[in-house]
């Protein structure tokens, strides 16, 4: 079987696996987040934290809980990174600089996992396990919690309560992420991923030299890094390293892990609002965008034999030979359509249009299916925009799931939509205007601009992947990208929770003949179109200066 047909089979099996997971995993999340019983371990957490598990919070208090948890997490992780060289280093770990510690703390707390360091040479086991891995769990749980709070806004009426953040956070970690990660880690170990606490070993090679072989508890981190759409790996080569991703079938498992929660949450949404068809409509939009993206990626990367990249072999540059072009392209599409940012190949080496697809995937807002939770709430905000546009066309007040979308709701949705592009475009413009930061580009011209654009797109969308041809371990980039990651995470969350509170206070509006059916193919097509058009109008000039110009020039 040719590698192209093997890639098609790989993709087909992946789609079937995700389809089989949609209902059971979505229903599991629904039961966890709507149940009234507290497990013994959860009651211990509530008692230690002084949490009243029976008290729902207003959207403002829910937001303050999210922000305070994030602030404390950044401070604690920053301190841990500054002193981690004193704790259980498997080798001579250097002290991390203040600006890099700031960048790393902001990165992992915001679910970005951008890394301006090489994990195997910069971090010890203690901070990897007790610092970064912990944030992999809780940052993913925060995203799901915020998404569920927004869904409660649609599902509830005549109330100012959207749930209890601390209860949501605890349940998501203990009942969903922890058991699934444990199971995935065991499977990865069986596949050859390493899980040990060994010191690094120095061995003699057959050429007469020496080589250092790293160890570490990394299968467990690999599991949650993918499941929680985090992406930051213990090795600089990330998921192309055989200790993290040994074989083709572990590569399949990792892609499945980073997609499964995102594609299952629409089922949870449908059950919570009392209409499973609404969840099917949302997942249909996600699937349409994802399949279109992966198809274009594989064509641009040379699966079509008539392309120039195939003729000259350039599409193989930067790919791991164990996976080849098709499996690498599918991984790249999945990791940029979500907020994962893990890589099993180097995006900077992709063809110009292949690299443009990784950028476009993030610019879409990572909503197909997006990060854990953030993909769903991003898609629901776009659904609100779509219903509003449809309402303007027919001259009536728009309604979505029985809630009227007035000026207040549309302000929150619009602010959400404008936040990330502003961060991306302003950050890129400032970096390109500063001679010292332009010097960090290892390439000139359109590709060099694409590297800077990619960095700020990745940071603002909390993705974490990078075009590797740019030196970002400078004080300016560490500070600027850290600020971008925090604003890109928490400003949208503010608008989402404000929207949830506004919706929850409304009384339900009965559907009438003029109500737009949001469970039919017409709405699926409209939502897909609005998503693509909004991105095209916002980012096309920047893309034209970067990867599109490079593609035309080549």
């Amino acid at each position: 079987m040719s590698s192209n047909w093997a890639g098609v089979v790989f993709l087909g099996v992946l789609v079937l696996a995700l389809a089989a997971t949609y209902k059971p995993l979505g229903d599991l999340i629904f039961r966890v987040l709507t149940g009234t019983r507290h497990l013994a371990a959860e009651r211990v957490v509530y008692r230690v934290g002084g949490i009243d598990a029976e008290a729902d919070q207003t959207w403002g208090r829910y937001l303050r809980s999210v922000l305070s948890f994030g602030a404390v997490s950044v401070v604690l992780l920053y301190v841990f990174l500054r002193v981690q060289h004193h704790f259980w280093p498997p080798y001579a770990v250097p002290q991390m600089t203040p600006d890099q510690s700031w960048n790393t703390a902001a990165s992992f707390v915001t679910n970005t996992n951008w890394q301006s360091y090489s994990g195997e040479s910069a971090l010890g086991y203690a901070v990897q396990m007790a610092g970064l891995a912990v944030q992999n769990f809780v940052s993913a749980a925060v995203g799901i919690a915020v998404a569920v709070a927004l869904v409660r806004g649609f599902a509830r009426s005549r109330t100012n309560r959207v749930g209890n953040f601390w209860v949501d956070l605890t349940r998501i970690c203990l009942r969903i992420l922890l058991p699934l990660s444990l199971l995935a880690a065991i499977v990865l170990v069986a596949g050859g991923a390493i899980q040990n606490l060994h010191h690094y070993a120095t061995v003699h090679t057959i050429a007469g030299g020496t080589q250092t072989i790293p160890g570490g508890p990394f299968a467990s981190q690999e599991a949650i890094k993918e499941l929680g759409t985090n992406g930051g790996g213990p090795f600089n080569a990330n998921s192309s390293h055989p200790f993290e991703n040994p074989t083709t079938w572990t590569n399949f498992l990792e892609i499945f892990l980073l997609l499964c929660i995102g594609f299952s949450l629409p089922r949870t949404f449908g059950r919570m609002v009392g209409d499973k068809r609404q969840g099917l409509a949302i997942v249909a939009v996600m699937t349409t965008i994802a399949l279109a993206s992966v198809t274009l990626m594989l064509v641009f990367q040379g699966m079509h034999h008539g392309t120039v990249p195939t003729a000259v072999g350039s599409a193989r540059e930067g790919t791991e030979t164990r996976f080849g072009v098709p499996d690498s392209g599918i991984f790249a599409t999945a990791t940029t359509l979500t907020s994962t940012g893990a890589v099993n190949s180097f995006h900077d080496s992709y063809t110009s249009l292949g690299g443009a697809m990784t950028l476009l995937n993030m610019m879409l807002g990572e909503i197909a299916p997006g990060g854990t939770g953030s993909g769903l709430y991003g898609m629901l905000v776009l659904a609100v925009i779509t219903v509003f546009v449809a309402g303007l066309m027919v001259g009536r007040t728009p309604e979505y799931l029985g809630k009227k979308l007035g000026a207040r709701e549309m302000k929150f949705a619009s602010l959400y939509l404008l936040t990330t592009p502003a961060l991306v475009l302003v950050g890129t413009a400032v970096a390109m205007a500063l001679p010292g930061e332009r010097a960090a580009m290892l390439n000139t011209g359109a590709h060099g601009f694409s590297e800077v654009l990619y960095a700020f797109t990745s940071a603002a969308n909390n993705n974490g992947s990078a075009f590797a041809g740019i030196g970002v371990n400078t004080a300016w980039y560490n500070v600027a990208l850290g600020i971008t990651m925090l604003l890109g995470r928490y400003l949208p969350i503010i608008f989402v929770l404000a929207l949830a509170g506004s919706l929850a206070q409304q009384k339900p509006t009965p559907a009438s003949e003029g109500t737009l059916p949001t469970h039919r193919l017409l709405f699926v097509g409209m939502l897909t179109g609005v998503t693509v058009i909004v991105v095209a109008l916002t980012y096309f000039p920047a893309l034209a200066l970067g990867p599109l110009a490079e593609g035309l020039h080549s």
Side-chain angles (χ1 to χ4, degrees), residues 146-154 265-266 268-270 273 278-279 281-283 286 367 373-387 400-401 405 413 416 496 499 503 523 527 531:
V146 172
V148 170
L150 177 58
V151 175
R152 290 189 186 116
F154 285 110
L265 278 171
T268 307
F269 160 68
V273 299
Q278 300 293 338
I282 294 298
V283 82
M286 291 178 172
I367 40 79
S374 61
L376 178 61
Y377 64 67
M379 184 61 81
L380 292 179
V381 170
L382 284 167
V384 167
I385 298 287
T386 302
V387 172
Y400 185 45
L401 302 177
L405 304 176
Y416 176 97
V496 165
L499 177 60
L503 293 170
F523 181 74
L527 179 51
T531 301

Side-chain angles (χ1 to χ4, degrees), residues 5-222:
W5 279 111
V8 172
V9 172
F10 184 98
L11 178 61
V13 175
L14 178 64
V15 171
L16 291 175
L18 291 170
T21 310
Y22 171 76
K23 181 178 178 180
L25 184 54
D27 288 348
L28 170 65
I29 299 172
F30 169 77
R31 290 193 300 270
V32 167
L33 292 170
T34 58
T36 57
R37 187 173 65 90
H38 305 293
L39 301 180
E42 294 167 354
R43 289 196 293 269
V44 171
V45 173
Y46 304 149
R47 190 176 301 115
V48 172
I51 300 166
D52 182 359
E54 306 303 327
D56 270 4
Q57 298 172 315
T58 63
W59 77 265
R61 190 165 183 181
Y62 200 102
L63 173 62
R64 289 193 294 273
S65 298
V66 172
L67 296 179
S68 61
F69 181 72
V72 171
S73 296
V74 169
V75 172
L76 291 178
L77 185 54
Y78 173 85
V79 172
F80 200 170
L81 288 163
R82 291 288 290 146
V83 301
Q84 61 99 17
H85 57 290
H86 296 299
F87 296 95
W88 199 4
Y91 50 88
V93 179
Q95 183 179 23
M96 189 173 279
T97 62
D99 57 275
Q100 194 172 47
S101 298
W102 152 259
N103 181 277
T104 305
S107 173
F108 277 80
V109 170
T110 58
N111 199 245
T112 310
N113 297 54
W114 172 275
Q115 296 171 282
S116 61
Y117 59 87
S118 297
E120 64 266 45
S121 61
L123 299 177
Y125 294 162
V127 75
Q128 290 271 19
M129 292 188 296
L132 305 188
V134 169
Q135 288 303 319
N136 284 349
F137 280 95
V138 296
S139 65
V142 167
I144 298 175
V146 172
V148 170
L150 177 58
V151 175
R152 290 189 186 116
F154 285 110
R156 296 180 178 182
S157 59
R158 298 186 180 93
T159 181
N160 61 354
R161 309 285 168 163
V162 295
N164 187 312
F165 169 72
W166 305 109
V167 172
D168 292 341
L169 180 73
T170 304
R171 287 185 173 187
I172 293 165
C173 287
L174 295 184
R175 300 197 202 181
I176 301 171
L177 297 179
L178 190 59
L180 292 179
S181 296
L182 178 61
L183 178 61
I186 293 172
V187 176
L188 286 171
V189 169
I194 66 170
Q195 182 74 19
N196 59 59
L197 298 176
H198 297 167
H199 280 250
Y200 283 19
T202 301
V203 299
H204 295 281
T205 66
I206 58 176
T210 60
Q211 181 178 353
T212 300
I213 306 296
F218 298 145
S220 55
Q221 291 190 45
E222 193 73 10

